[in-house]
Amino acid sequence: MAAVKSDIEIARAATKKPIAEIGARLNIPSDALLPYGHDKAKIGADFLKSLGDRPDGKLILVTAINPTPAGEGKTTTTVGLGDGLNRIGKKAMICVREPSLGPCFGVKGGAAGGGYAQVVPMEDINLHFTGDFHAITSAHNLLSAMIDNHIYWGNELDIDTRRVSWRRVMDMNDRALREIVNSLGGVKNGFPREGGFDITVASEVMAILCLAEDLADLERRLGDIVVAYRFDRSPVFARDLKADKAMAVLLKDAMQPNLVQTLENNPAFVHGGPFANIAHGCNSVIATKAALKLADFVVTEAGFGADLGAEKFFDIKCRKAGLKPAAAVIVATIRALKMNGGVKKEDLGAEDVAALTRGCANLGRHIANVRKFGVPVVVAINHFISDTDAEVAAIKDYVSHSGAEAILCRHWAEGSAGIEELSRKVVELADSGVADFKPIYGDDLPLMDKIEAVATKIYHAGEVTAEKAVREQLKAWEDAGYGNLPVCIAKTQYSFSTDPNLRGVPEGHVVHVREVRLSAGAGFIVAITGEIMTMPGLPKAPAAERIFLNDDGLIEGLF
Amino acid sequence: MAAVKSDIEIARAATKKPIAEIGARLNIPSDALLPYGHDKAKIGADFLKSLGDRPDGKLILVTAINPTPAGEGKTTTTVGLGDGLNRIGKKAMICVREPSLGPCFGVKGGAAGGGYAQVVPMEDINLHFTGDFHAITSAHNLLSAMIDNHIYWGNELDIDTRRVSWRRVMDMNDRALREIVNSLGGVKNGFPREGGFDITVASEVMAILCLAEDLADLERRLGDIVVAYRFDRSPVFARDLKADKAMAVLLKDAMQPNLVQTLENNPAFVHGGPFANIAHGCNSVIATKAALKLADFVVTEAGFGADLGAEKFFDIKCRKAGLKPAAAVIVATIRALKMNGGVKKEDLGAEDVAALTRGCANLGRHIANVRKFGVPVVVAINHFISDTDAEVAAIKDYVSHSGAEAILCRHWAEGSAGIEELSRKVVELADSGVADFKPIYGDDLPLMDKIEAVATKIYHAGEVTAEKAVREQLKAWEDAGYGNLPVCIAKTQYSFSTDPNLRGVPEGHVVHVREVRLSAGAGFIVAITGEIMTMPGLPKAPAAERIFLNDDGLIEGLF
């Protein structure tokens, strides 16, 4: 057997078509396609506006069971399904998130799919790409600089320097910047205060860019950002600092979706990448809406497992953007289900139908949850070489008892040829018209009740607890007019509960809301349950030590 | 009289040609041209390599008198001269620096020329452009993160955390980041230490990118960066942290020169932009060398007045890159010369031939200085509406007595039609073969003697002073093998002396070297005379407050 090729080797061997050709397949005129090299392009804002009257294609969500170290392949399946739909003759495209540059130099590899289901050029996509994240970093930090500058020049707005909630950002894993004291060094450098940096994907500007409908909406949302509080506790907005319009200028190009292609030369938008814990974890609304005008089927994904990713996709993105998903695919691997059934990572190579069946309960709950949103479901079994026939039969059997279907997919190894069956099933579900999307809670519910709705209906928690200060804060935001916002719950992705070690289907557990934050520009309330890391660190031997340019000037070590 | 149009209005009204067409004029094949939109492109590395055997065109430096608040128009004249040379039938292109994004939101407007002598698209060039500065920021900060990460995980290299000389960078005017304490917040965030941020253009990575011949040279120089010292005072290099290769990966695209066009559709490289005080202040060597292969005449500029800019261009860039400039243009304005002659800014509208003649001494010294490098000189009088015939006659007369010629240029108002005479003179000088370039000091001179050579021969100082520690440090670097490096003197740009208020031709003054720094990767020793600001602040009412997108989505307020 030939050695298995790495993702970067496969990606590099791809025969890419000129991006103008990919755009032409979507009937995008060449002057509306702003090229970045020969294999990437942004879609011009004027052309996007001109799409308004066209009918929408069907939106397919790819989500997953709770992730485990065994991997489940959500992006890979999203890309594979897009190729599969094209293979069976449908006009389909995919919409996925842009990866963050910083973590590529830490432990994780790229995030552009894997095997024979990737978007290319993977090196570019994983690094600077078209500069969107850099633009977000600049816009965010311009606002940060203007806050301290305002304080420096007399603090007319009466900002309480202990209550500046707007931090700075950098697209780098740099734990040394998590907590700093800035403005040291004397009078010329301002008033010393505590501050810090988050990674760029955690910026509210990122969430705003991904939820904004157009430049005007972007600018309005940027103005709505709460950056600090006055000594009388009243909020100071980005608009008060007159920073919103200049931030929009810096984000003008970043608002345009990025077009690339899959290994099989099918079109893909890769645009935006907000955190899936303190933000909603989906690619941009502007890309998704454009794709729906350009293709008959649009396959997209949401971060982490369905309890976090799909819930936020439905309750935040779809609700606010008026999207109506037609079907959902839940990705599972036999390895990950076995881990959910209690098998250790080192024992995953051995057949274990009993453990698999136990672990299937996790999958079963995600199926039931997604249906609560009125969206029909199919399960994709992302095939691994170690999977046995008995295991595949067991999962298919389990899923059929839940009234859905599980389909074995070999897109990682075979590309679109390995995912035809799933593609046909997705078309059948989407065309059936059974989808009747509705969010899990209404806009009018009190904020605490919204958190409870998600916790009980989706997480199967028994109770939500919160300190008095948290409840009072939520009440205060309701009084200030933010009561109609959806909630964005930051919870561990590894469990339905707030305990990352509780795999499977925990029931009746307690969800404790430790802290709440207002993302007034993005338009949601963040409820934090447990420790949330908004600036990662590097490991002892970071990937950066092994990433290099080879003699042909090609990037090695980014996998 | 019609209202004078702003730079951005003129730039926006330009009829740009597709960048592929501009590239085709230089015989750059379309696959070697990596487009960024329809009006910007990078030149592929393989194509650059293929140029090696071609003969070189002639290199023309545009430099200036000491800058004053009255303005002198160095970039404008560089662009105008490029257009003028094309107008008289020469195959010419220009090479200028990329502007920094951060300062655009402070006080200054754009830096892409002015009036009818600009490079376009000016909004893009002044903001994100092709992402080069963002890439430099990322590469710099990856190294920073790896330093603190190394310390966090056990500090095997024995780095003295009080002696980490490598700071962080951001392309933003943010005085609050000048001096910080990082790694606060407990064990998980590392070991607290003093740190800080410079603006990206001050990064040694920027200087390295601008001096590197190719990717291999870039990687070697990145490895040579001294980031910190051990407790035994021995240096720690970026190579020791295994950061150099990943940094080169991040800089791969940024190393490729950016092609844009002037308002008259002539080709221009806009690439790299190092500080002109702690670095050498010239566009990239790679762009200049490529331009010399692609055109018969290449017009370039260097930062600040000729005492700083031309000196560093000659002694650092030309010396190290083996460039042989054929002629130099010294830009002067009558207004700026009158200020050098003692006139206040508010009185510049009135004719004052006596003051002008006094101020001409400043110009005269720059003429003599440039000739010391073996390069012939012509003076460009950058015309202002307020200039009188008597004033123009006076400056022409002064310059002719110094054996050179001063030519009135109206490119700001008229484009290339206003700069034909200068263009012809430049061709005459460059074709005459009188140029015989040599640096002002030899490589073998001790470092302190190099500083003295520049101070006495160029600044007309009487003496160079330095603390014992500075002299010992220079000696130590000589012992460590850095003695053959050129020196990069950081001095005020407003005077030949170290006192910014001493206009005209100060003589016999004292140059005190306050501090010396080793830029081992860039390949020079920085000698600091006076206060050097490596992170600017924003003014009380920053330009950001007035920069916005108009109803057509176009940028306003960036001028």
Side-chain angles (χ1 to χ4, degrees):
Chain A
M1 188 179 130
V4 174
K5 283 191 188 167
S6 71
D7 288 351
I8 200 168
E9 284 170 329
I10 294 170
R12 195 171 289 155
T15 308
K16 284 178 290 185
K17 291 195 176 158
I19 198 66
E21 211 173 296
I22 304 294
R25 263 182 55 194
L26 298 171
N27 298 314
I28 303 173
S30 64
D31 63 342
L33 213 58
L34 303 163
Y36 282 67
H38 300 293
D39 49 11
K40 305 174 290 292
K42 282 188 168 284
I43 312 297
D46 290 339
F47 175 73
L48 292 178
K49 265 184 222 158
S50 75
L51 297 174
D53 292 336
R54 298 192 192 183
D56 282 325
K58 297 199 165 72
L59 181 59
I60 316 296
L61 173 69
V62 175
T63 181
I65 58 169
N66 289 98
T68 69
E72 79 286 357
K74 198 163 58 248
T75 306
T76 303
T77 303
T78 304
V79 176
L81 179 57
D83 282 340
L85 288 165
N86 275 286
R87 184 184 185 90
I88 63 168
K90 301 298 172 186
K91 190 173 182 183
M93 68 179 297
I94 66 164
C95 283
V96 293
R97 288 168 293 167
E98 296 180 59
S100 178
L101 177 159
C104 291
F105 296 93
V107 279
K108 74 189 275 269
Y116 287 89
Q118 295 188 54
V119 281
V120 285
M122 79 90 95
E123 302 95 317
D124 292 8
I125 292 171
N126 278 301
L127 297 178
H128 305 297
F129 198 26
T130 59
D132 294 341
F133 286 19
H134 292 316
I136 289 165
T137 304
S138 293
H140 184 117
N141 290 335
L142 173 61
L143 177 54
S144 311
M146 288 178 79
I147 295 167
D148 279 301
N149 190 57
H150 179 87
I151 296 166
Y152 175 85
W153 286 104
N155 199 7
E156 214 169 278
L157 290 170
D158 203 31
I159 292 169
D160 181 347
T161 56
R162 302 163 308 173
R163 290 194 168 88
V164 177
S165 48
W166 194 253
R167 291 157 51 92
R168 288 173 172 83
V169 296
M170 184 185 281
D171 192 4
M172 198 54 70
N173 289 19
D174 191 349
R175 69 170 67 74
L177 293 178
R178 284 175 190 153
E179 295 186 31
I180 69 171
V181 171
N182 57 250
S183 308
L184 293 169
V187 171
K188 70 185 188 304
N189 296 348
F191 295 85
R193 66 173 184 87
E194 292 182 49
F197 283 70
D198 296 325
I199 191 162
T200 298
V201 290
S203 166
E204 189 180 343
V205 177
M206 174 70 84
I208 288 173
L209 183 124
C210 289
L211 288 168
E213 299 276 340
D214 53 31
L215 280 175
D217 186 33
L218 176 83
E219 191 175 287
R220 183 187 58 72
R221 288 168 178 270
L222 292 169
D224 287 343
I225 293 171
V226 173
V227 299
Y229 294 87
R230 295 187 179 80
F231 285 98
D232 68 5
R233 302 287 180 96
S234 63
V236 177
F237 299 94
R239 188 175 293 115
D240 298 329
L241 288 156
K242 303 193 186 100
D244 45 339
K245 292 182 167 66
M247 291 169 76
V249 165
L250 283 168
L251 295 168
K252 177 172 155 327
D253 296 337
M255 269 291 278
Q256 299 170 330
N258 306 299
L259 179 68
V260 293
Q261 62 193 292
T262 67
L263 290 175
E264 298 191 10
N265 311 121
N266 293 310
F269 280 154
V270 179
H271 193 223
F275 252 29
N277 45 38
I278 61 159
H280 61 294
C282 309
N283 72 275
S284 75
V285 164
I286 205 167
T288 302
K289 288 199 164 178
L292 287 169
K293 299 295 184 190
L294 295 167
D296 297 327
F297 291 87
V298 174
V299 187
T300 189
E301 56 154 1
F304 298 147
D307 54 329
L308 288 173
E311 190 274 320
K312 291 173 186 178
F313 173 77
F314 292 136
D315 279 327
I316 299 176
K317 180 172 175 176
C318 291
R319 176 202 306 258
K320 297 314 253 182
L323 299 169
K324 307 274 180 205
V329 176
I330 300 180
V331 182
T333 61
I334 286 170
R335 291 159 54 90
L337 287 174
K338 286 199 283 193
M339 283 195 85
N340 265 292
V343 177
K344 285 185 189 145
K345 196 177 177 186
E346 52 272 29
D347 299 331
L348 286 173
E351 182 178 275
D352 190 340
V353 174
L356 173 68
T357 307
R358 281 196 304 276
C360 274
N362 183 274
L363 171 59
R365 183 181 284 177
H366 287 297
I367 294 172
N369 278 348
V370 171
R371 285 178 171 158
K372 288 178 185 168
F373 292 92
V375 178
V377 172
V378 59
V379 172
I381 311 172
N382 184 14
H383 180 70
F384 266 71
I385 302 167
S386 58
D387 299 349
T388 70
D389 292 345
E391 288 173 330
V392 172
I395 178 172
K396 286 194 170 198
D397 186 55
Y398 179 92
V399 173
S400 74
H401 278 92
S402 74
E405 191 177 340
I407 296 171
L408 193 67
C409 302
R410 298 177 186 270
H411 47 286
W412 186 87
E414 299 173 11
S416 66
I419 197 167
E420 278 195 31
E421 191 186 348
L422 181 76
S423 305
R424 288 210 180 80
K425 180 67 189 179
V426 163
V427 170
E428 183 196 315
L429 281 180
D431 283 349
S432 70
V434 302
D436 181 22
F437 169 68
K438 50 184 185 304
I440 206 81
Y441 54 80
D443 287 340
D444 298 337
L445 221 57
L447 292 170
M448 198 64 199
D449 294 5
K450 288 174 179 167
I451 297 170
E452 280 170 3
V454 175
T456 54
K457 293 183 190 174
I458 303 298
Y459 307 161
H460 285 229
E463 192 189 355
V464 175
T465 59
E467 301 300 319
K468 187 158 160 280
V470 165
R471 290 178 188 275
E472 283 175 356
Q473 180 62 78
L474 291 175
K475 187 73 186 50
W477 284 331
E478 284 166 1
D479 294 343
Y482 296 114
N484 63 335
L485 295 183
V487 293
C488 178
I489 303 180
K491 178 183 72 69
T492 174
Q493 66 265 40
Y494 298 112
S495 171
F496 277 106
S497 76
T498 57
D499 175 356
N501 299 312
L502 273 186
R503 299 196 203 278
V505 281
E507 185 80 36
H509 46 93
V510 174
V511 169
H512 181 68
V513 180
R514 201 165 58 78
E515 182 192 341
V516 283
R517 295 181 194 167
L518 172 62
S519 290
F524 50 70
I525 304 283
V526 183
I528 295 177
T529 69
E531 291 292 323
I532 295 298
M533 178 66 75
T534 51
M535 174 53 97
L538 292 170
K540 184 163 187 181
E545 296 180 357
R546 301 175 296 279
I547 294 175
F548 64 98
L549 294 172
N550 68 21
D551 292 342
D552 297 324
L554 300 172
I555 299 170
E556 301 281 359
L558 190 72
F559 49 86
Chain B
M1 190 179 130
V4 174
K5 284 190 186 167
S6 71
D7 287 352
I8 199 168
E9 285 169 329
I10 295 170
R12 196 172 289 155
T15 308
K16 284 177 290 184
K17 291 196 177 156
I19 198 66
E21 211 173 295
I22 305 294
R25 262 183 55 195
L26 298 171
N27 298 315
I28 302 174
S30 63
D31 64 343
L33 212 57
L34 302 162
Y36 282 67
H38 299 293
D39 49 12
K40 307 174 289 294
K42 282 189 168 283
I43 313 298
D46 289 341
F47 175 73
L48 292 178
K49 263 183 223 159
S50 77
L51 297 174
D53 292 337
R54 298 192 191 181
D56 283 325
K58 297 201 165 70
L59 182 59
I60 316 296
L61 173 69
V62 175
T63 182
I65 59 169
N66 289 100
T68 69
E72 78 285 356
K74 196 162 57 248
T75 306
T76 303
T77 303
T78 305
V79 176
L81 179 57
D83 282 339
L85 288 166
N86 276 286
R87 184 183 183 89
I88 63 169
K90 300 298 173 187
K91 188 172 183 183
M93 67 180 297
I94 66 165
C95 284
V96 293
R97 289 168 291 166
E98 295 181 60
S100 180
L101 177 159
C104 291
F105 296 93
V107 280
K108 75 190 272 270
Y116 288 90
Q118 296 186 55
V119 282
V120 285
M122 79 89 96
E123 302 96 316
D124 292 9
I125 292 170
N126 277 300
L127 298 179
H128 305 296
F129 199 26
T130 59
D132 293 342
F133 285 19
H134 293 315
I136 289 165
T137 303
S138 293
H140 184 117
N141 290 336
L142 172 61
L143 178 53
S144 311
M146 289 178 79
I147 294 168
D148 278 301
N149 191 58
H150 179 88
I151 296 166
Y152 175 84
W153 286 105
N155 198 7
E156 213 169 279
L157 289 170
D158 204 31
I159 292 170
D160 181 346
T161 57
R162 303 162 307 175
R163 290 196 170 88
V164 176
S165 48
W166 193 253
R167 290 159 52 92
R168 287 172 172 85
V169 296
M170 185 185 281
D171 192 2
M172 197 55 69
N173 289 21
D174 192 348
R175 68 170 69 73
L177 293 178
R178 283 174 191 154
E179 294 187 33
I180 68 172
V181 172
N182 57 249
S183 308
L184 293 168
V187 171
K188 68 185 190 304
N189 296 348
F191 295 85
R193 66 174 184 86
E194 292 182 49
F197 283 71
D198 296 324
I199 192 162
T200 298
V201 289
S203 167
E204 188 180 344
V205 177
M206 174 70 85
I208 288 172
L209 183 123
C210 289
L211 288 167
E213 299 276 340
D214 53 31
L215 280 175
D217 186 33
L218 177 82
E219 190 175 288
R220 183 188 57 72
R221 287 168 179 269
L222 292 169
D224 286 343
I225 294 171
V226 174
V227 298
Y229 294 87
R230 295 186 180 79
F231 285 97
D232 67 6
R233 302 288 179 94
S234 64
V236 177
F237 299 93
R239 187 175 292 115
D240 298 328
L241 288 156
K242 303 193 186 99
D244 47 337
K245 292 183 166 65
M247 292 170 75
V249 165
L250 283 168
L251 295 168
K252 176 172 156 326
D253 296 337
M255 269 291 280
Q256 298 170 331
N258 305 299
L259 179 68
V260 291
Q261 61 193 290
T262 67
L263 289 176
E264 299 191 8
N265 311 121
N266 292 311
F269 279 153
V270 179
H271 193 222
F275 253 27
N277 45 38
I278 61 161
H280 61 294
C282 310
N283 73 275
S284 74
V285 164
I286 205 167
T288 301
K289 288 199 164 177
L292 288 169
K293 298 294 184 189
L294 295 167
D296 297 329
F297 291 86
V298 175
V299 186
T300 190
E301 55 156 0
F304 298 147
D307 53 329
L308 287 173
E311 190 274 320
K312 291 174 186 178
F313 173 78
F314 292 136
D315 279 326
I316 299 177
K317 180 173 175 175
C318 292
R319 176 202 305 259
K320 296 314 250 182
L323 298 169
K324 306 272 180 211
V329 176
I330 300 180
V331 182
T333 61
I334 286 171
R335 291 158 56 87
L337 286 174
K338 285 198 285 192
M339 283 196 83
N340 265 292
V343 178
K344 286 184 187 147
K345 197 178 176 186
E346 53 271 29
D347 299 331
L348 286 174
E351 183 180 276
D352 191 340
V353 174
L356 174 68
T357 307
R358 281 196 304 278
C360 275
N362 182 275
L363 171 59
R365 184 181 283 179
H366 287 299
I367 295 171
N369 279 348
V370 171
R371 285 178 172 158
K372 289 178 185 166
F373 293 92
V375 177
V377 173
V378 58
V379 172
I381 310 171
N382 184 15
H383 179 71
F384 267 69
I385 302 167
S386 58
D387 298 350
T388 70
D389 291 346
E391 288 173 332
V392 172
I395 179 172
K396 286 192 170 199
D397 186 56
Y398 178 92
V399 173
S400 75
H401 278 93
S402 73
E405 189 178 341
I407 297 172
L408 193 67
C409 302
R410 299 176 186 269
H411 48 286
W412 186 87
E414 299 173 11
S416 65
I419 197 167
E420 279 194 29
E421 191 185 347
L422 180 75
S423 305
R424 288 208 182 82
K425 181 67 190 181
V426 164
V427 170
E428 183 197 315
L429 280 181
D431 284 349
S432 71
V434 302
D436 181 22
F437 168 69
K438 52 185 184 305
I440 206 83
Y441 54 80
D443 288 340
D444 298 338
L445 221 55
L447 292 170
M448 199 64 200
D449 293 5
K450 289 175 179 168
I451 298 170
E452 281 171 2
V454 175
T456 53
K457 293 184 190 173
I458 302 297
Y459 307 160
H460 286 228
E463 191 189 355
V464 174
T465 59
E467 301 300 319
K468 188 157 161 278
V470 165
R471 292 179 185 275
E472 283 174 357
Q473 179 62 78
L474 291 174
K475 188 72 184 52
W477 284 330
E478 284 165 359
D479 294 343
Y482 296 113
N484 63 336
L485 294 183
V487 294
C488 178
I489 301 180
K491 177 183 73 69
T492 175
Q493 66 265 40
Y494 298 111
S495 171
F496 277 106
S497 76
T498 57
D499 175 356
N501 300 311
L502 272 186
R503 299 196 202 278
V505 281
E507 185 80 37
H509 46 92
V510 174
V511 169
H512 181 68
V513 179
R514 201 167 56 78
E515 182 192 341
V516 284
R517 295 182 194 168
L518 172 62
S519 290
F524 50 71
I525 304 283
V526 183
I528 295 175
T529 69
E531 291 292 322
I532 294 299
M533 178 67 74
T534 50
M535 172 55 96
L538 292 170
K540 185 164 188 183
E545 297 181 356
R546 300 175 296 278
I547 295 176
F548 65 98
L549 293 173
N550 68 19
D551 293 341
D552 298 323
L554 300 173
I555 299 170
E556 301 282 358
L558 192 72
F559 49 87

